[in-house]
Every structure is written in C-alpha cells, then in structure tokens.
Amino acid sequence: MNEKKAYAAYYDNDIRMKSSSGAIFSLLANEVLEKKGIVYGVAMNASCTEAEYIGITEKQDLEKLLGSKYLQAKIKNIFKNVRENLVLNRLVLFTGTGCQINGLKKFLQKDYKNLICVDIICHGVPSPALWKEYVGYMENKMQGKMEKVNFRCKDQGWENFGMKEYGSSKEVYISKSKDPYMQMFLSDFCLRPSCYECKAKTLRLSDLTIGDFWGIDTIAPEMNDSKGTSLVIVRTNQGEKIFNRLISKSSVKVMEVEYDDATKENPAEFRSVYRPKERETFFIDMKKMDFEELRKSYLSLPIKQRIKNAIKKILKPVLKRARRGGIKSNLDYGMLMQFNVGEKNE
Ligand SMILES: Cc1cc2nc3c(=O)[nH]c(=O)nc-3n(C[C@H](O)[C@H](O)[C@H](O)COP(=O)(O)OP(=O)(O)OC[C@H]3O[C@@H](n4cnc5c(N)ncnc54)[C@H](O)[C@@H]3O)c2cc1C
C-alpha cells in the first residue's frame, strides 16, 4: 500500500462500553474467532497485579482482553506459541503495542499469510512495579483484595473516563484527574525507558493500527456519541481487505478521514513523549518510598508550578514545530487529560 488510510469507526454494540475506544478490537477478534482462529492480547492476571499476554479461542474469553491495561504486559513464551499456531496454518490475530508487534515479526523472521497484526496507538507503557505498589495502596484503602480493574471506565463518558476498581468488599470509581496512578502515567514519570525514544513510531509492521479518535468533534462530530470512537489506520493491503470486510456489517459506523486531520490531537501515533526531568528521581524514590509518599512528592506540586509545567508542555511541541515550519495542534494524549491542573489529587 502506498498511502496510509484513516477512518473514524465504532462497533455499535454493548461491548463498546467495556472497550476503551470504539470496540474495533472486539470486531476484529470476533471475526477471527468465528473462523476458528486464535486471538492474542493482554489480560490482567487473577490477582490484578500483572498484565500478561494470553491466546483465546472462545468468544466467552474475549472479555479478558477488552480494555486498555495501563502497564507493561508480560510476553512470557507467547511468540513461540504464535509461531506454533501459524505453522499449523491457523488464523492468528496478534494485538499489542507497536514495539511488541515489531518484536514478534523479528522473532518469526518470515511472513505468514495467516497472521494479522494490529497495534494500538501507544503513548508509552508504565512500569509494572509501580502498578504493584498502587494495587497495595488501593487494597489498603478498599480493605480488601483487588479482584478486577477497568482502567477506562466510561460511566461518565468516553472522554471523561475514570478508573473503576472492584475490591473483595467494595468497588470504587476514581476520575482520571484524581487517580494518582493515572496521573503518574499521564505525567509520563513512570514509562519504560524506551518509550521516550520509541522506535516503533517510525517503523510500524502492523496491518492495522487502532486508537482513540481524540479530536473527533472538530472533524466528524456526528461520529461521537460519547460511548467511544476509534481511529483506525490501514497500513497494508491485508489490513485493507480485512477492514473493508468488517465495515460492511450494519453494526459498524465508519467514516474515512484524512490521516493528518485524524492524528492532529493524537501525536502518540507518530511521536514519542518527552522525558520529564522528574523521571530519574521518580524511579529512585519509588524504591525508597511507599506509594502514598511517592504520590505526595510527585503529585502535590504547588498549583502555580503545575500550571507553569502544563503551559511549558503545551508550548514545547508548538515551538519545535514552528522552528521546523508548520504548526499543528499541540494537544496530545497526556495533555488532553491533564488540563485539570487545578484539581487536587485525593
Ligand atoms: C499503555 C497504553 C497506552 C495507550 N496510549 C494511547 C494513545 O496515546 N492514544 C490512543 O489513541 N490510544 C492509546 N491507547 C490505545 C487505546 O486506549 C485502546 O486500547 C485502543 O484504541 C483499542 O480500543 P478498542 O476499543 O478497539 O478495544 P479495547 O477492547 O479497548 O482494546 C483492547 C486491546 O488493547 C490491547 N491491550 C490492552 N492493554 C495492553 C497493554 N498493556 N499492552 C499491549 N496491548 C494492550 C489488548 O490486547 C486488546 O488488543 C493506549 C493503550 C495502552 C494499553
């Protein structure tokens, strides 16, 4: 394919409320499962302390893969398992971050016609060690074990999402602007070192890329019903064939858009996040402090400083682009969610 094609799309069914964006992942996964294929993706483990890759063959297991898990997932021996199924000529859908797809392709060392690769637009993955600390902190607060977590609860809408955590004795909902883990993630303090210089931004080996269609209201407001809209980027002929087949279904709403317009407010598609100066000390402190101390140290900056930081962050890419020529929108995934600089963290 010479040029990438971009679409706003959503799968109009109940599953969308359990998905982070427009449920395009589940649409693809259903198709593969109906053809007796195998779908690989990321699930939380039973104790909610880790995210890990699993392969599923039954629709009843699809729920485990739904929704973003905002921490680095364990790959374990999944690449070997993928190859075994490919060699058996089974249809395989592998979904993950761009770097994980590139890793799989490098491992396989050859192309397989029965492999579909779909990456998610990725702003960066947080440290699994930080997540474990946070689970302990929340279990203390909830006075019970964490049994389930939804990082992208849409009870208050797709754009205004929050974390929903189900403990053994109660459940809690914390808006994205108040949850300390989400704030550490969106402030980019806790991402893996390679995320700040992500090679997958310029080398994408997937057939399709899916993400949130941030900025949909300026491009196609009729495609936003607050339940979630996906941005779909078609990168290969194989991806185009699959996507065209899926969108012929009446339950799929779709609109072709210009790639540049579609990615204006989602620079994670083409650019790594900036490494904040606090990144170094954050990880040193994470080993010394408990989660509450870490929260107080990094999220309780005086309001003046937080506003200053937010403005600096907004201006940095604008100035950079202006220097290169051609100013685009300055909103990015993190920024979009960080505008509540005045809100206190709980
Ligand atoms: C760490 C992270 C950062 C992200 N950053 C952005 C961003 O900057 N901009 C943007 O538009 N979208 C981002 N997304 C993607 C977005 O949140 C949705 O995952 C994507 O749009 C798919 O949504 P869906 O509704 O089609 O399906 P969903 O049901 O929400 O998708 C689930 C899919 O995500 C995969 N997945 C979940 N957690 C992980 C993980 N930890 N590692 C690898 N794969 C995972 C599952 O395997 C499955 O394929 C990010 C996701 C993650 C996990």
Side-chain angles (χ1 to χ4, degrees):
M1 246 181 100
N2 293 336
E3 271 193 30
K4 303 179 279 272
K5 288 188 177 170
Y7 299 85
Y10 62 82
Y11 186 22
D12 200 6
N13 107 357
D14 291 348
I15 235 171
R16 189 154 53 117
M17 288 306 279
K18 296 180 183 171
S19 310
S20 298
S21 318
I24 296 301
F25 161 70
S26 60
L27 181 70
L28 285 156
N30 272 331
E31 158 106 350
V32 170
L33 294 175
E34 272 159 25
K35 291 188 167 151
K36 304 275 172 248
I38 179 158
V39 176
Y40 291 91
V42 174
M44 294 306 287
N45 68 355
S47 58
C48 265
T49 48
E50 286 177 349
E52 58 187 18
Y53 265 90
I54 60 166
I56 62 156
T57 53
E58 304 297 329
K59 279 194 183 178
Q60 75 220 33
D61 291 326
L62 186 57
E63 187 143 352
K64 296 179 192 163
L65 302 185
L66 297 182
S68 296
K69 286 89 186 176
Y70 288 131
L71 64 148
Q72 188 177 36
K74 282 196 163 173
I75 299 270
K76 303 179 296 176
N77 61 349
I78 220 76
F79 288 176
K80 232 174 115 204
N81 194 277
V82 169
R83 186 169 57 197
E84 281 161 13
N85 278 297
L86 287 170
V87 170
L88 291 173
N89 225 7
R90 214 162 172 188
L91 181 61
V92 170
L93 169 64
F94 188 90
T95 56
T97 58
C99 57
Q100 288 161 343
I101 304 269
N102 293 0
L104 172 68
K105 292 266 175 137
K106 195 158 185 193
F107 173 84
L108 293 174
Q109 292 201 332
K110 66 175 263 204
D111 291 333
Y112 289 87
K113 284 207 174 90
N114 47 330
L115 172 65
I116 308 162
C117 285
V118 177
D119 73 317
I120 48 172
I121 296 182
C122 177
H123 146 239
V125 284
S127 147
L130 178 68
W131 171 254
K132 271 194 190 147
E133 291 291 318
Y134 171 77
V135 172
Y137 163 84
M138 284 309 296
E139 286 182 344
N140 230 343
K141 285 197 167 224
M142 293 194 290
Q143 296 191 323
K145 287 280 165 204
M146 197 185 286
E147 293 178 341
K148 204 171 119 190
V149 54
N150 180 356
F151 292 81
R152 291 283 300 262
C153 175
K154 292 175 172 173
D155 286 357
Q156 295 183 20
W158 160 56
E159 286 134 317
N160 188 27
F161 67 85
M163 295 267 276
K164 196 157 190 179
E165 290 154 23
Y166 303 79
S168 43
S169 53
K170 62 169 153 177
E171 57 182 62
V172 294
Y173 172 90
I174 316 174
S175 82
K176 66 176 186 280
S177 59
K178 292 201 173 141
D179 182 78
Y181 181 80
M182 197 55 93
Q183 281 300 302
M184 288 170 188
F185 169 42
L186 297 174
S187 308
D188 304 330
F189 296 150
C190 57
L191 307 181
R192 309 316 297 137
S194 54
C195 298
Y196 304 101
E197 294 168 61
C198 174
K199 302 250 186 329
K201 299 294 177 212
T202 46
L203 178 69
R204 284 301 232 295
L205 301 177
S206 57
D207 299 298
L208 296 166
T209 298
I210 52 178
D212 287 291
F213 205 126
W214 301 132
I216 187 71
D217 284 341
T218 56
I219 297 168
E222 64 278 29
M223 288 293 292
N224 184 8
D225 62 0
S226 284
K227 291 184 188 162
T229 307
S230 290
L231 164 59
V232 181
I233 299 166
V234 176
R235 297 186 187 274
T236 63
N237 292 330
Q238 146 117 320
E240 185 169 37
K241 230 165 95 188
I242 297 160
F243 190 62
N244 283 344
R245 200 168 53 235
L246 290 175
I247 59 180
S248 60
K249 298 188 181 194
S250 61
S251 49
V252 183
K253 302 272 179 286
V254 66
M255 180 185 278
E256 188 165 357
V257 291
E258 290 293 323
Y259 174 85
D260 285 348
D261 293 340
T263 55
K264 245 183 204 162
E265 294 190 18
N266 205 340
E269 148 64 9
F270 53 84
R271 185 180 72 204
S272 305
V273 294
Y274 294 100
R275 188 183 177 109
K277 62 178 187 338
E278 294 91 339
R279 169 55 176 75
E280 271 347 296
T281 54
F282 184 85
F283 276 85
I284 297 168
D285 289 340
M286 193 175 93
K287 291 191 183 120
K288 292 193 299 213
M289 297 176 175
D290 65 22
F291 192 87
E292 174 62 6
E293 288 173 302
L294 200 64
R295 181 190 75 75
K296 280 193 185 137
S297 305
Y298 286 86
L299 299 178
S300 304
L301 289 174
I303 184 154
K304 236 171 122 181
Q305 188 60 43
R306 297 183 77 195
I307 291 171
K308 227 170 127 184
N309 287 352
I311 292 170
K312 248 185 169 168
K313 196 168 174 184
I314 292 165
L315 290 180
K316 203 167 173 180
V318 178
L319 292 173
K320 208 169 168 192
R321 272 201 218 101
R323 258 181 251 127
R324 282 204 313 251
I327 302 175
K328 288 185 183 166
S329 166
N330 51 18
L331 281 175
D332 76 7
Y333 190 62
M335 282 180 223
L336 187 81
M337 299 170 197
Q338 279 194 70
F339 271 105
N340 302 307
V341 284
E343 281 188 73
K344 266 201 222 143
N345 288 288
E346 59 139 1

